[in-house]
Amino acid sequence: MSELDIKILTPEDWELYKTARLNSLKESPDSFGSTYNQEAALLDTEWRSRLDLKFREIDALPLIAEFKGQPVGIAWGCIHKPNLKVAHIYQMWVSPELRGKGIAKSLLLKIEGWALGRRCSLMVLGVTTSNEVAVNLYRSFGFVAAGQLEELRADSPLLVQPMTKELNHAV
Ligand SMILES: CC(C)(COP(=O)(O)OP(=O)(O)OC[C@H]1O[C@@H](n2cnc3c(N)ncnc32)[C@H](O)[C@@H]1OP(=O)(O)O)[C@@H](O)C(=O)NCCC(=O)NCCS
């Protein structure tokens, strides 16, 4: 995968991000709390301002994976005030034709490096319990189930398992 490039999205990349994110919601509706219809209704200015981290006063790492220059994956790391020790992972998605090649792992590694740099002690995410591939991915990366199951969203019978990974800082 030498032609794989992982880039940090900036506000100028909003169209690229919009396309990838809407693709992910359409292609994997059971993997996310949000829906295609909800996000397809967002204004272009809202897509841009999602990536405008200074404006949002949020510490985040919005990533896009590109293969041969084409967007093939996304993932976000986010640290929410006031708990600056916890890095959340959201929006993880890899394009179906490029799955199984380590792209999600590369995205997780990048977020982990960022979270370590921010002195976080924990990474947290939620995964739909029936999504065995994603559960395997996170387990193989060191995440363990933690906490009670939650609803994916109000209109869905699916449940989400919170998972965490402790981050060890070298002394
Ligand atoms: C889950 C997803 C992100 C994995 O992306 P990917 O790039 O294919 O994953 P990787 O190639 O980096 O695989 C990493 C690990 O995940 C697990 N995994 C990946 N594909 C798998 C499969 N088909 N079956 C079982 N385990 C699998 C393995 O443990 C793998 O490690 P290994 O190759 O050393 O065995 C991708 O399938 C996807 O986008 N699914 C739809 C959206 C989604 O479910 N997102 C997660 C939201 S929480």
Side-chain angles (χ1 to χ4, degrees):
M1 294 296 277
S2 57
E3 287 136 318
L4 182 73
D5 194 18
I6 295 186
K7 295 197 321 201
I8 301 174
L9 289 161
T10 69
E12 286 65 46
D13 299 318
W14 69 268
E15 281 180 289
L16 188 67
Y17 168 58
K18 175 182 174 180
T19 304
R21 174 65 175 161
L22 289 179
N23 280 346
S24 73
L25 291 166
K26 194 182 265 187
E27 190 277 328
S28 302
D30 292 342
S31 297
F32 306 106
S34 184
T35 66
Y36 176 84
N37 285 344
Q38 273 172 355
E39 299 205 12
L42 293 176
L43 301 173
D44 289 347
T45 49
E46 293 175 287
W47 285 101
R48 175 182 262 278
S49 59
R50 268 193 186 188
L51 295 168
D52 198 342
L53 306 177
K54 278 192 199 123
F55 174 75
R56 292 177 65 195
E57 292 190 12
I58 187 175
D59 192 5
L61 185 74
L63 295 177
I64 189 136
E66 291 185 336
F67 182 68
K68 295 185 180 173
Q70 295 303 308
V72 294
I74 47 175
W76 282 66
C78 284
I79 299 170
H80 301 292
K81 287 179 192 164
N83 195 346
L84 304 182
K85 290 282 170 197
V86 178
H88 298 259
I89 295 175
Y90 301 119
Q91 302 190 22
M92 172 67 74
W93 178 79
V94 171
S95 187
E97 60 279 13
L98 283 160
R99 285 181 189 162
K101 298 185 187 307
I103 295 178
K105 226 171 211 175
S106 302
L107 289 163
L108 285 174
L109 269 172
K110 193 101 177 169
I111 293 172
E112 184 174 57
W114 169 79
L116 281 165
R118 293 292 199 266
R119 310 300 298 166
C120 290
S121 52
L122 197 70
M123 292 199 294
V124 175
L125 55 83
V127 59
T128 310
T129 53
S130 54
N131 189 350
E132 281 179 37
V133 171
V135 171
N136 276 343
L137 161 72
Y138 298 131
R139 277 207 192 115
S140 78
F141 202 77
F143 281 85
V144 293
Q148 294 191 332
L149 299 183
E150 297 157 8
E151 275 184 347
L152 178 66
R153 51 178 175 264
D155 63 350
S156 167
L158 296 172
L159 295 171
V160 169
Q161 173 67 66
M163 296 184 87
T164 60
K165 178 177 178 178
E166 286 186 19
L167 294 176
N168 295 315
H169 295 264
V171 218

